[in-house]
Each structure stands twice: as C-alpha cells, then as structure tokens.
Amino acid sequence: MFERLRGTRDFLPNEMAARKKVFSSIKKTVEEFGFFETDTPAIELFELYSIKSGEEIIEELYAFEDKGGRMISLRPELTPSVVRVLVSRAKELSFPVKWYSIPRLWRYERPQSGRLREFYQLNIDIFGSDDPRADTEVISCAIKLLCDLGFDESDIEVRISDRRMLQEFLLNIGIEKYHDVLKIIDKREKVSQKDFKEMLLGLKISEPQIKEIDAFLNSKGNFLESIENLSSSHKEEGISQVIESLRRIAQDLNDRGFEKFITFDPSIVRGLDYYTGMVFEVHDRKREFRALFGGGRYDNLAELFGGEHIPAVGFGMGDAVLELMMRRKNIWPEEKVEIDLFIATIGNVEKEVSKILTSLRNSGYKVDFDIMNRNLSNQIKFANKLGAKSLLIVGERDLKEGNITLRDLKTGNEAKITLEEFVSSPSKYLTKVL
Amino acid sequence: MFERLRGTRDFLPNEMAARKKVFSSIKKTVEEFGFFETDTPAIELFELYSIKSGEEIIEELYAFEDKGGRMISLRPELTPSVVRVLVSRAKELSFPVKWYSIPRLWRYERPQSGRLREFYQLNIDIFGSDDPRADTEVISCAIKLLCDLGFDESDIEVRISDRRMLQEFLLNIGIEKYHDVLKIIDKREKVSQKDFKEMLLGLKISEPQIKEIDAFLNSKGNFLESIENLSSSHKEEGISQVIESLRRIAQDLNDRGFEKFITFDPSIVRGLDYYTGMVFEVHDRKREFRALFGGGRYDNLAELFGGEHIPAVGFGMGDAVLELMMRRKNIWPEEKVEIDLFIATIGNVEKEVSKILTSLRNSGYKVDFDIMNRNLSNQIKFANKLGAKSLLIVGERDLKEGNITLRDLKTGNEAKITLEEFVSSPSKYLTKVL
C-alpha cells in the first residue's frame, strides 16, 4: 500500500464538494470586483525565485535539475510568475489589469496545522495604478470575500500600515538602517519585549530611540482617526504624501462600510522585502491562528524583472488557515455529494433505463443507476449514499403497463406515474441540484 | 526578462475565459453522468509510477530527490494516484464509485503540436463494477462530452475492441507470446506494413500466422454487426463470454443513440500494459491528429497497488489535442472577457462611486471603475476593452441634480436616470454576464 507524501492532501468527492463551494464563493466575490482569472505554469526557472523571493522561500523550494539540465522549481508563490507574464506581454495589455488566480503552490517546510507542503492560494493583484483606490479595491475585496464566506467583524481584524511611514519615522529619529530594523520589527510579535529590545541594541539603536520606536509601533487604533492624528503631527513633505494616500484609503474603506474591520497598526511591515507602500494583514480577532493572510503594494517588482515601472498592489491567501478558521466557526460547508436522480431497477429493463438516462441527462439532470445487479433495498441504500434527491424505480412488471414509481428520498413520498409522462416533462417531477 | 519553460503555457484572462467555458462544459456533462470530482497531490512518491506505468512514462518523469531524501515525482498521469486513494480509503467507500478529475500533469517529452510538458487531462473512472454497463457509461460519457462541445459523428470516430479477444485469437492460432505481439500490434499504424511484418517475423511468427493476424486486425466495421459475426464463428467458452460482454456494450451504445460514432476495430490495443478488457480510442475522422484520447478496462490495478480486487474502467483526455481539434472546427470559444458594468467618472465623485460599487457588487454584478484618472473618452475605450456590457457615467455636475447616465455599450443607447432609481432597482437596467 502506498502513502501520499506528508503535507499533501487527497480529496474524496464529499470533501471536494465542500471545497468547491468555498472556492466558488471566493471566485464569485473576486469577479464581482472586476478581477479576471489567469493561469501560469506550476514549474518555472529557478532564477525566477532567486531574484526576488525572500531567503526563507528559497530554502523551501522544491527545486531540481530537469532532464535538459535546467534548474527549475515548483512555484512556492505566484507573484514571480504573474510579473513574468506581465513584463513579457505588457504590450498587448490595457492597464490597469486586475488579475486573480488560485494556484497550487509547494514549499518544503515542516507540515503543521494550517501549514502544508502543497496548498492552494488565492492571489489577486492590480497592476498599473498607483492610485489609493487600487489599494482600497484590494483590501475591500479581501474583506468582502471573507464576509461572503460567513465571517464578520467579530471574527476578522485587518491591520493596515504603510512601510514608507515607518521609514520616514525612523529617519526622523535618526535611524538609517531601515531594512535591518524592519526585519526586527517584523519579528516583534513572535519574540519577547526583552529580546526585541536586545536585537535593536545589537544594531546600535539607542535606548531613547527604542522607546520612540515602541511608542510609534503601539500607536494603533481606528484607521481614519489615527491618520488624522498623524496628519496634524507630521507636516514634512515626504510623509504628508503618504498620510494623504492613507487618508484616502481610510475614507474609502469607511464609505464602503468596512470601518469595523480595520485597525491602523504601524507595527505591520510584512516579511517580504518587496513591499514598497501600504501593507496589511488579516487576523482572527482571537489570535488563535497565525495571520490568515496579508498583502500590500509592491511598485518596483516589474522593473526588477526587466520591465517598465508598473505599480502593483495585491495579496495571497492560502487555503489551509482559511479552512481551519471556517471549521472553528462552523461555516465550512457540509461535506456531501448530491445528484438529482438514482434509477433502481427490477428485472431486465436495460433498454428502457438507457433511454431514460439519455433523455434526462440531455435535459441537464445528474442521473445515476444500478450497475451492480443489487436487490432493490440495496439499490435504495446506495441511492441515499449518493445524495440522490429522487429515486426512480423501473420494474419489468410495472413497465409492461407503462408505469414507473418515483420516490422523493427526502420526504419518502411516492407516486406511480407513466414512463411517458415522466420522460416528457421531467421538470414537473425533478429539481436540479446546483 | 524571464521566459517560461518550453512546453508550458500562460493564460491571460481572455484565453482563460475561453478555456473555462470548455472545462465547464466538460464538467457539466461528466456530472450529468453521475461522476463526482476528486483531487489528489501533484507530487507523489516515485515508486507509485515505477510499479505500473509503462517504460515510456518512467523515462519522461519529472522526478527528483526532495530535501528529506525521498525520490518523488510530478505526476505524469492520474491513475496511480487515484488507485492509491482508492486502496487506502476503500473501507469508507460505497462501490461503485464514479470519479472524475482534471489534473495538471507533467511529462518531459519533446514539445510539439498537441503535446506539451505541462498539460491538463480529464480523467473519469468507474471502480467496483465489472458489468458491461460500466463500460458503456464511460464510452457514452466520452462521446457525449465531445457532442456537448460541438463535435458530431462527422468529426469523431470511436474505435472499440477487447484485449481478451485478441489474446484468445492469438492462442487459437498457436501464438502464446501475447505481450510481445501486443506491443507490435500497438505500433502497427505508425510503421509500414513491411516493418510490421518483419517485427512479427522477428518473434518467429510464421507467414501464415501473420496473414491470419492481418485479416483479424482488418476485420473492422459496425460494432454490433461485427460482434454478431464473431459470435457465430466463435463458440469457445472463453471467447463467448468476451463476445457477450461486447454485444451488451454495442447494444447499449445503440440504445443511447451513439451507433454512428462507433467502429469495432480489433487492432486497438492501447499502449499501456495495464488494460485487461475493453479498450477504446477516440480519433478525428480525418486523422489529422494523433488519437484524441483513449481508455478501457483495468481490473487488476488495485491488487497491484496492494488492495483488494477492484474492477475498473475509465479514460484520460488531454487538453492540448482537444484544443487543436476544436480550433480546426471553429468551435473553440471566443477569447474575450466580460463584465456587467464599468463606471466612468467626471470630477470628484469618489464617495458616490464607492457606494454604487458596493451596492451593485452586493447584488452580484461584476463591476469595475476608473482608477487611472483618465478623461471620459479614454475611460470609455477602456470599458470596451474590459468587455463591459454597460457604462455608467457619474459626473460631478449631473450628480448635483441626482442624475447619472447609463449607456448600453452594444447598442449605444443612452438614458439619463436618477442615481436613486438605478441603485434601488439595478435589475431593471442591467443583466448579468455568466
């Protein structure tokens, strides 16, 4: 007997049916926001990841040499592929483009709750617009798709910041080692206050500076209010522009009714080096799980990949933590399959059953029938396991008089009708499962 | 600038939209036949393929050692994974199971027309029934899904045979090297008659035997008629049983109206070693392409994978040749994206646009708007590129009187209405794209 690889999953039809409902809800929301689906290969040149992905991701690559001697890799994230496509086909595109995809991704890391070696990730991105409304679209879409799945503001917190603000703030208090400090701030929630301080001291940041950093990082709260406060205390040109763009995002999120989901939180920086502006993270309010997902602005990536300057904003949401959170709240869909009709047979009625099957399927019904030569009671048991809504009993004797029996498997109600009547107007007797 | 790997594909939204239509038509047909979707990992242990896949497939594996020292492989076909799941979870299943999946597969072979290194393949299988009606279901589903895509009997030929019949025939004429002869027969269409003969002579098959083989392989024709002929000339017990099962398949395919698609063709053996009974291949009538796809019975595979005996029948259809054939017949869907509404703006109307967006998207419409601060004529150009069916013009001046302008982008018809009226009854003004 063979086993599947650790950190990968099999989905039987009932499990798959539940997942399909979740994915189709997500796709529906995202398409209402005007995002279009794209698709890219699961294997890419290794260099695509070595150029920009963080060290952590490089270490976790499923990378190998193919039979042609090229170093290739299973994709650990989608963004490099999408930017590759964008750069190589920029001439035929009309900007802005709003793209989404739900790729399978692979990372060799220790499998644990909410973290798998093979997983799905929804990716949405807007390329070509540096307008704050692009940021709002992306954040709104994130919140809306969670709401459409059944979450509300008591479950979800969206923490928003802007990396440029942090950078300006650090410069203002005399710190220029922006990237090194950023990395430490990114770890802040995972380490003790003491360790955090020591790491900063290690970079020769002074005690008073650390106090200022702490105060700044703790200045979280209502998005629009926090921004108005910052706006009155920071009049410098560089930072005013950032504040103005955050103010528009905050105002727009309020106009769209998402105020209750949002916290302004300057400690959010997102690990990846490539973010350049607004960044956000989505958490469960109870903090039982790690960040559900996050995203932000990455305006420099297209250039890094050899293209023109193309501003970009987006996020990626893995399916594993999402499923955990949905199960915790009991909003993961019921795992069951369904069909419209199962045909049970008594005696030799093959020819008639073939005709009924063909006619109903041509009309779009999901129909199955007995191919195990079982007795009637076992056929009915099986019909129930298939989630059949109705049962048609076709018996040799009844058929001589042109009759069949139709049973509603939910109510148990049964009616004897003519085969002709049933086949000519099935919609009188059956409704379709979605 | 990075390139994608040879033999892989990127799909922009318009290309993706066409493919989605094709895939969703296929899924619809398959689900009408009572097949349920499953999903399995793209990476599996290497041994899963070394145990049963043909040599050809082993040579083409994307196989490598993972960071944990395991030899793993990208899946080159789905069947081993499906059988692995079946065997490991047999206890919780109710047989027969009818499963389908449209996995991505990878094979390192020379990319050419209709053959890629990364491709999609529809797989459908019925496990647990050795009844000929299971065979009919699979073949009928294959034909029906092609019909639903727009093909008819002038495009498609389904060639059916049974390996056991060939085996019985060879035994009857005194040939026991069944597998070696089978491999040569499988190559028959690809080599000259002279080479075919020489390969058989190489196996010490005599000239008279070769003549008999040729005659048998050429005895193709109408399925039911051919079977009736064979039935009268072959009364031996072993072969009669095979003939009876083929007769039932032929009769049932006729009852379902598929007679015109089918040819009985004893030269069909399918390359893979694992087929045990009925085999079939689907070809374009003009033979411009290689086999569109094929399948058959493989009753011994579950045992080979360490499970109980589980009879099985199914097929796999790749997307690359299908697309070529659909394009040739001009039935590949139009490559275009669509949304319900684009909102063009004049002046500062951000707040109102956010409210309109939110309200319409909450009602399920696909809506986009300008985030590039373009002038009206460029916004309208862009709306047309997005395939917007309608255009809403929201202008600062009009809005002071509560008015907006709605334009049908297909007819050009325009109407000025109140914002209130439009937002409260959008269905009076918009229809949804599917």
Side-chain angles (χ1 to χ4, degrees):
Chain A
M1 199 145 106
F2 290 91
E3 307 225 326
R4 66 167 185 275
L5 291 165
R6 268 188 79 202
T8 68
R9 292 166 292 178
D10 295 320
F11 299 101
L12 290 191
N14 53 338
E15 299 158 335
M16 190 69 184
R19 291 179 64 76
K20 280 167 83 162
K21 280 188 190 142
V22 171
F23 279 44
S24 101
S25 166
I26 291 173
K27 286 184 176 196
K28 184 172 184 300
T29 310
V30 167
E31 291 183 2
E32 283 159 7
F33 274 74
F35 289 89
F36 295 119
E37 193 168 0
T38 61
D39 189 18
T40 61
I43 46 176
E44 296 271 12
L45 277 172
F46 174 79
E47 291 96 86
L48 198 63
Y49 306 108
S50 56
I51 199 173
K52 70 140 275 287
S53 300
E55 272 166 45
E56 205 179 306
I57 281 185
I58 293 289
E59 273 168 30
E60 292 167 355
L61 286 184
Y62 276 94
F64 60 101
E65 199 177 297
D66 77 5
K67 292 190 208 296
R70 277 165 297 263
M71 271 308 285
I72 68 174
S73 173
L74 295 182
R75 60 184 174 201
E77 54 166 336
L78 186 71
T79 310
S81 300
V82 172
V83 176
R84 174 183 59 68
V85 174
L86 193 76
V87 166
S88 68
R89 297 178 75 170
K91 287 206 177 71
E92 61 187 282
L93 298 170
S94 305
F95 289 96
V97 296
K98 295 169 82 172
W99 286 353
Y100 85 92
S101 187
I102 311 190
R104 247 178 224 236
L105 304 176
W106 296 265
R107 292 186 194 171
Y108 193 83
E109 44 185 345
R110 198 169 61 80
Q112 48 186 293
S113 170
R115 200 186 290 242
L116 295 159
R117 285 182 176 162
E118 178 181 80
F119 56 99
Y120 288 90
Q121 190 181 66
L122 166 69
N123 277 256
I124 78 167
D125 291 291
I126 301 179
F127 294 101
S129 169
D130 54 13
D131 195 289
R133 283 172 296 181
D135 301 67
T136 315
E137 276 287 273
V138 165
I139 301 165
S140 303
C141 185
I143 299 172
K144 183 60 168 31
L145 76 86
L146 293 171
C147 292
D148 288 349
L149 288 172
F151 292 108
D152 59 38
E153 67 262 24
S154 72
D155 309 305
I156 298 293
E157 180 182 23
V158 182
R159 301 156 75 196
I160 302 183
S161 185
D162 192 302
R163 281 204 179 188
R164 290 166 300 175
M165 195 144 68
L166 188 63
Q167 186 163 19
E168 289 290 332
F169 163 78
L170 292 173
L171 281 173
N172 280 349
I173 62 166
I175 297 173
E176 284 180 1
K177 299 167 213 164
Y178 173 62
H179 280 284
D180 298 333
V181 176
L182 206 80
K183 270 184 196 147
I184 293 170
I185 292 177
D186 189 41
K187 289 189 190 124
R188 186 165 174 258
E189 289 204 343
K190 292 161 204 151
V191 301
S192 68
Q193 179 57 21
K194 185 166 162 283
D195 287 349
F196 177 66
K197 192 174 161 182
E198 261 162 31
M199 284 191 279
L200 288 175
L201 288 171
L203 285 178
K204 303 220 182 337
I205 312 285
S206 71
E207 294 259 4
Q209 284 173 325
I210 293 176
K211 271 200 181 144
E212 288 204 69
I213 291 175
D214 261 328
F216 181 75
L217 296 184
N218 289 334
S219 69
K220 54 188 176 187
N222 176 286
F223 193 8
L224 196 53
E225 280 171 23
S226 306
I227 296 301
E228 303 292 5
N229 289 343
L230 281 168
S231 167
S232 50
S233 57
H234 291 275
K235 303 288 185 193
E236 311 88 317
E237 202 189 331
I239 203 153
S240 315
Q241 219 179 321
V242 178
I243 286 172
E244 172 55 17
S245 109
L246 282 174
R247 201 196 53 71
R248 282 183 62 198
I249 296 173
Q251 182 60 55
D252 203 353
L253 287 169
N254 285 8
D255 292 342
R256 292 178 187 223
F258 294 132
E259 187 172 0
K260 288 177 182 157
F261 289 88
I262 314 276
T263 309
F264 174 70
D265 187 340
S267 73
I268 294 299
V269 295
R270 301 293 297 150
L272 291 168
D273 276 344
Y274 64 78
Y275 288 112
T276 55
M278 183 279 294
V279 280
F280 72 102
E281 263 181 29
V282 180
H283 290 264
D284 62 305
R285 291 261 178 210
K286 294 179 192 146
R287 296 290 170 89
E288 290 180 76
F289 308 99
R290 61 203 188 97
L292 177 54
F293 62 97
R297 247 200 196 276
Y298 55 102
D299 288 343
N300 298 336
L301 208 55
E303 277 167 283
L304 200 61
F305 275 69
E308 305 281 308
H309 176 76
I310 304 175
V313 57
F315 71 79
M317 176 186 74
D319 68 329
V321 179
L322 178 70
E323 181 176 340
L324 285 179
M325 281 185 60
M326 289 183 71
R327 287 190 185 277
R328 165 58 62 100
K329 196 184 154 77
N330 275 321
I331 53 173
W332 188 253
E334 200 185 341
E335 297 191 332
K336 63 165 186 182
V337 292
E338 280 182 309
I339 59 168
D340 299 308
L341 181 74
F342 186 85
I343 305 177
T345 57
I346 307 167
N348 179 13
V349 291
E350 249 178 65
K351 203 182 270 288
E352 287 79 7
V353 167
S354 285
K355 282 176 186 163
I356 302 170
L357 279 175
T358 302
S359 162
L360 290 176
R361 288 168 175 173
N362 283 346
S363 303
Y365 293 98
K366 296 177 184 168
V367 189
D368 211 342
F369 69 113
D370 177 54
I371 51 173
M372 299 297 272
N373 304 306
R374 287 191 267 223
N375 65 30
L376 186 61
S377 105
N378 283 332
Q379 291 184 55
I380 296 173
K381 267 185 209 154
F382 184 68
N384 278 305
K385 280 193 178 139
L386 285 187
K389 292 197 306 180
S390 299
L391 176 82
L392 189 72
I393 303 172
V394 181
E396 211 176 324
R397 226 178 292 167
D398 272 0
L399 214 53
K400 281 189 184 134
E401 285 149 26
N403 291 329
I404 50 171
T405 302
L406 186 66
R407 184 188 294 179
D408 183 317
L409 284 175
K410 288 197 177 129
T411 63
N413 292 342
E414 216 177 79
K416 194 173 272 196
I417 48 174
T418 67
L419 174 58
E420 205 191 320
E421 160 69 8
F422 176 68
V423 170
S424 62
S425 350
S427 62
K428 267 173 72 180
Y429 302 97
L430 302 174
T431 53
K432 293 178 188 176
V433 295
L434 292 180
Chain B
M1 199 146 104
F2 290 91
E3 307 226 327
R4 67 168 184 276
L5 291 166
R6 267 188 81 202
T8 68
R9 293 166 292 178
D10 295 320
F11 299 102
L12 291 190
N14 53 338
E15 298 157 337
M16 191 68 183
R19 293 179 62 77
K20 281 168 82 163
K21 281 189 190 143
V22 171
F23 279 42
S24 102
S25 168
I26 291 173
K27 287 184 175 196
K28 184 172 186 298
T29 310
V30 167
E31 292 183 1
E32 282 159 7
F33 274 74
F35 289 88
F36 294 119
E37 193 167 0
T38 61
D39 190 17
T40 61
I43 47 176
E44 296 271 12
L45 277 173
F46 175 77
E47 292 95 85
L48 197 64
Y49 306 107
S50 56
I51 197 173
K52 70 139 277 286
S53 301
E55 273 168 44
E56 206 179 303
I57 281 185
I58 294 288
E59 274 167 31
E60 293 166 355
L61 285 184
Y62 277 94
F64 60 100
E65 198 178 298
D66 76 6
K67 291 189 207 298
R70 280 165 296 263
M71 270 307 285
I72 68 175
S73 173
L74 294 182
R75 62 184 172 202
E77 53 167 336
L78 186 70
T79 310
S81 300
V82 172
V83 176
R84 174 182 60 66
V85 175
L86 192 74
V87 166
S88 68
R89 299 179 73 170
K91 287 207 177 70
E92 62 186 283
L93 298 170
S94 305
F95 288 96
V97 297
K98 296 170 81 172
W99 286 353
Y100 85 91
S101 186
I102 311 189
R104 245 179 224 235
L105 304 175
W106 296 266
R107 292 185 194 170
Y108 193 83
E109 46 185 344
R110 197 169 61 79
Q112 48 187 292
S113 170
R115 200 185 291 243
L116 294 160
R117 286 183 174 160
E118 177 180 80
F119 56 98
Y120 287 90
Q121 190 181 65
L122 166 71
N123 277 257
I124 77 167
D125 291 291
I126 301 179
F127 294 101
S129 169
D130 54 13
D131 195 288
R133 282 172 296 181
D135 301 68
T136 316
E137 276 286 274
V138 165
I139 301 166
S140 302
C141 186
I143 300 172
K144 183 63 166 32
L145 77 85
L146 293 171
C147 291
D148 288 350
L149 287 172
F151 292 107
D152 58 39
E153 67 263 24
S154 71
D155 310 305
I156 298 292
E157 180 182 22
V158 181
R159 300 155 76 196
I160 302 184
S161 185
D162 193 302
R163 280 204 181 191
R164 292 167 299 175
M165 193 143 70
L166 188 62
Q167 188 162 18
E168 289 291 332
F169 163 78
L170 291 173
L171 282 173
N172 280 350
I173 63 166
I175 297 173
E176 284 178 0
K177 298 166 212 162
Y178 172 63
H179 280 285
D180 297 334
V181 176
L182 206 80
K183 272 186 194 148
I184 294 170
I185 291 176
D186 189 42
K187 290 189 188 123
R188 186 164 173 260
E189 288 203 344
K190 292 162 204 148
V191 302
S192 68
Q193 180 57 22
K194 186 166 159 282
D195 287 349
F196 177 66
K197 193 175 160 181
E198 262 162 30
M199 283 190 279
L200 288 174
L201 288 171
L203 285 178
K204 304 225 184 334
I205 312 285
S206 71
E207 294 259 4
Q209 283 173 327
I210 293 175
K211 270 197 183 146
E212 287 204 72
I213 291 175
D214 261 327
F216 181 75
L217 296 183
N218 289 333
S219 69
K220 54 188 177 188
N222 177 286
F223 194 7
L224 195 53
E225 280 170 25
S226 305
I227 296 302
E228 303 292 5
N229 290 342
L230 281 167
S231 168
S232 49
S233 57
H234 291 275
K235 302 290 185 191
E236 314 88 319
E237 202 189 329
I239 203 154
S240 318
Q241 220 181 317
V242 178
I243 287 171
E244 173 54 18
S245 109
L246 283 174
R247 202 196 52 73
R248 282 183 61 198
I249 296 173
Q251 182 60 55
D252 203 354
L253 287 169
N254 285 7
D255 292 342
R256 293 180 186 222
F258 293 133
E259 188 172 359
K260 288 178 181 155
F261 290 88
I262 314 276
T263 310
F264 174 70
D265 187 340
S267 73
I268 294 299
V269 295
R270 301 294 297 152
L272 291 169
D273 276 344
Y274 64 79
Y275 289 112
T276 55
M278 184 280 294
V279 280
F280 72 101
E281 263 180 30
V282 181
H283 290 263
D284 62 306
R285 291 264 177 207
K286 293 180 192 146
R287 298 290 170 87
E288 289 179 77
F289 308 100
R290 61 203 188 97
L292 178 53
F293 62 100
R297 246 198 197 278
Y298 55 101
D299 288 344
N300 298 336
L301 209 54
E303 278 168 281
L304 199 61
F305 275 70
E308 306 281 308
H309 176 77
I310 304 175
V313 56
F315 71 80
M317 176 184 75
D319 68 329
V321 179
L322 178 70
E323 180 175 340
L324 285 179
M325 281 184 60
M326 288 183 71
R327 287 189 185 277
R328 165 58 60 100
K329 196 182 153 79
N330 275 320
I331 53 174
W332 187 255
E334 200 186 340
E335 298 191 331
K336 62 163 188 183
V337 292
E338 279 181 310
I339 60 168
D340 299 308
L341 181 74
F342 186 86
I343 305 176
T345 56
I346 307 167
N348 179 16
V349 291
E350 248 178 67
K351 202 181 271 288
E352 287 78 9
V353 167
S354 283
K355 283 178 184 161
I356 301 170
L357 280 175
T358 301
S359 162
L360 289 176
R361 287 169 176 172
N362 282 346
S363 304
Y365 294 97
K366 296 177 184 167
V367 189
D368 211 343
F369 69 113
D370 177 54
I371 50 173
M372 299 296 271
N373 304 307
R374 285 190 268 223
N375 66 31
L376 184 62
S377 105
N378 284 331
Q379 291 184 58
I380 296 172
K381 267 184 209 155
F382 185 67
N384 278 305
K385 280 194 177 137
L386 286 187
K389 293 198 305 182
S390 299
L391 177 81
L392 189 72
I393 303 172
V394 181
E396 209 175 324
R397 226 178 295 168
D398 271 0
L399 214 51
K400 282 189 184 134
E401 286 148 26
N403 291 328
I404 51 171
T405 303
L406 185 67
R407 183 188 296 180
D408 183 316
L409 284 176
K410 286 194 180 131
T411 62
N413 292 343
E414 218 176 78
K416 193 173 272 197
I417 48 176
T418 68
L419 174 58
E420 204 190 320
E421 159 71 7
F422 176 67
V423 170
S424 62
S425 351
S427 63
K428 268 173 72 179
Y429 302 98
L430 301 174
T431 53
K432 291 178 188 175
V433 294
L434 293 178

